[in-house]
Amino acid sequence: MSDQPAPAPYDALLLLSFGGPEGPDDVVPFLENVTRGRGIPRERLKEVGQHYSLFGGVSPINAQNRELLQALRKDFAEHGLDLPVYWGNRNWAPYLTDTLRELAADGHRRVLTLATSAYASYSGCRQYRENLAEALAALEAEGIEPPRVDKLRHYFNHPGFVRPMVDATLAALAELPEGLRAGAHLAFTTHSIPTSAADTSGPVPAHGDGGAYVAEHLDVARVIADAVREETGADHPWQLVYQSRSGAPHIPWLEPDICDHLEALHAEGVPAAVMVPIGFVSDHMEVKYDLDTEAAAKARELGLPVTRAATVGADPRFAAAVRDLVLERAATERGAAPERCALGALGPSHDVCPVGCCPARTPRPAAAGAAE
């Protein structure tokens, strides 16, 4: 056994997230960052920004990332893992480039990255890797030697991510009137993406038929539904559905939409439903607006009793899962063969994204993956 500290060769962890506005004046500039290069008119961005006005112009995501940071630091400290945790965002402060500059100034040379997206897709993985490459190149252009950056594997099926979702689903079922619970349907929700992006998600052998993106979500949904059945004795019908579509109407996106699904359930005479947002790490804007506001309004309109399961957020079990993933990857880098925890049928994901994994429409450099 090596005498190296458990996280070696890594000397820092980077929490990498999407970012969000923290006040009304931030909303349009934030949306301009998100949509840069797409030619979307400012007036359209103002329309989209009205979603944020319902919440004082503040996205919950930054506060939730601060909570996760504290949970990670607490867990690491309690288990003797000497690994500082930094935080950087794609679209708002603290910006990724600034955080990497801070990491370099603090002397860190090998950095592991935890992205707040659990599944394989362009926007949930490859785009973050492109952001990393762009930020690292910016440091080099400034004459700063950038650290080497690797990315933790997808954690969609790690027990520390799945078990909190099982408990959240059970809690949401318990919120329904007792006479409706046994017949309630489970609507597992995730972000809709273009079908072309879904079909090319994950490694090349997984491409087609929704790719790894759909396969991973279906696998997790099945694990959760099975666990709920074991604990309640009731076999709840379930379906994977989608939300938060934002693309042009003529481009095919994954369906059905959650609101359309609720209408279909009501038409079938289903007594109640539980929305389970398995595609999201925290209760950020797309959960608070698209589910708690828009879908909830649709359910009230239909007279369909609906509850919503909480996301994983800063659950201590998720923080422990991140610690497990850090130690697993560090041991692998040192040449060991650690146990790799995963539930469901798909097994643990790859450590290094291979060539052709979640390709971009326009090829761009990407860090933390196989050389291309």
Side-chain angles (χ1 to χ4, degrees), residues 68-334:
L68 180 56
L69 273 177
Q70 292 306 312
L72 291 171
R73 288 167 177 162
K74 181 175 185 289
D75 178 89
F76 288 7
E78 289 177 349
H79 291 85
L81 181 59
D82 184 15
L83 194 71
V85 187
Y86 292 70
W87 169 35
N89 288 325
R90 172 187 292 171
N91 298 302
W92 202 250
Y95 288 102
L96 172 59
T97 302
D98 294 335
T99 302
L100 284 173
R101 193 180 292 114
E102 181 184 1
L103 278 157
D106 289 347
H108 295 296
R109 306 308 313 148
R110 289 289 302 272
V111 177
L112 259 178
T113 300
L114 167 69
T116 55
S117 178
Y119 301 85
S121 70
Y122 172 73
S123 58
C125 183
R126 172 78 191 203
Q127 191 172 7
Y128 280 119
R129 293 176 50 224
E130 292 176 354
N131 299 147
L132 284 167
E134 183 178 15
L136 292 169
L139 264 61
E140 287 187 327
E142 296 171 11
I144 299 172
E145 183 181 357
R148 172 176 162 178
V149 179
D150 292 330
K151 182 177 176 293
L152 288 173
R153 68 175 170 93
H154 300 302
Y155 46 85
F156 64 93
N157 56 3
H158 192 286
F161 183 77
V162 177
R163 187 64 222 187
M165 292 302 306
V166 172
D167 291 346
T169 304
L170 291 168
L173 276 167
E175 292 175 13
L176 291 170
E178 187 173 359
L180 303 179
R181 289 174 202 161
H185 283 225
L186 307 179
F188 293 101
T189 76
T190 191
H191 205 301
S192 184
I193 60 176
T195 56
S196 58
D199 288 345
T200 56
S201 58
V204 172
H207 290 182
D209 296 325
Y213 186 74
V214 171
E216 290 169 0
H217 281 86
L218 286 173
D219 200 43
V220 172
R222 190 172 296 109
V223 169
I224 295 172
D226 288 348
V228 168
R229 183 181 63 250
E230 290 174 9
E231 299 212 16
T232 65
D235 192 3
H236 296 277
W238 63 270
Q239 186 171 340
L240 178 63
V241 300
Y242 302 93
Q243 61 176 89
S244 312
R245 175 182 172 139
S246 59
H250 68 280
I251 298 175
W253 282 52
L254 293 173
E255 297 177 336
D257 177 78
I258 177 61
C259 290
D260 294 338
H261 181 62
L262 294 177
E263 288 186 342
L265 292 180
H266 180 256
E268 294 168 10
V270 170
V274 174
M275 299 183 290
V276 187
I278 57 171
F280 304 91
V281 172
S282 65
D283 285 8
H284 56 63
M285 186 58 70
E286 287 165 320
V287 175
K288 302 297 286 185
Y289 182 80
D290 296 339
L291 294 183
D292 294 352
T293 304
E294 194 172 49
K298 171 58 70 174
R300 286 194 299 272
E301 172 192 321
L302 296 168
L304 178 67
V306 167
T307 57
R308 197 265 291 175
T311 52
V312 172
D315 189 293
R317 291 169 292 181
F318 181 48
V322 174
R323 170 169 44 86
D324 179 65
L325 291 168
V326 166
L327 295 176
E328 171 199 295
R329 180 62 182 273
T332 301
E333 291 292 310
R334 297 196 302 266

Side-chain angles (χ1 to χ4, degrees), residues 2-9 334:
S2 172
D3 292 329
Q4 292 177 299
R334 297 196 302 266

Side-chain angles (χ1 to χ4, degrees), residues 19-43:
E22 302 212 62
D25 293 342
D26 297 343
V27 173
V28 171
F30 162 73
L31 292 173
E32 287 175 336
N33 287 344
V34 173
T35 61
R36 181 167 287 118
R38 301 184 200 171
I40 297 176
R42 188 176 176 86
E43 290 306 311

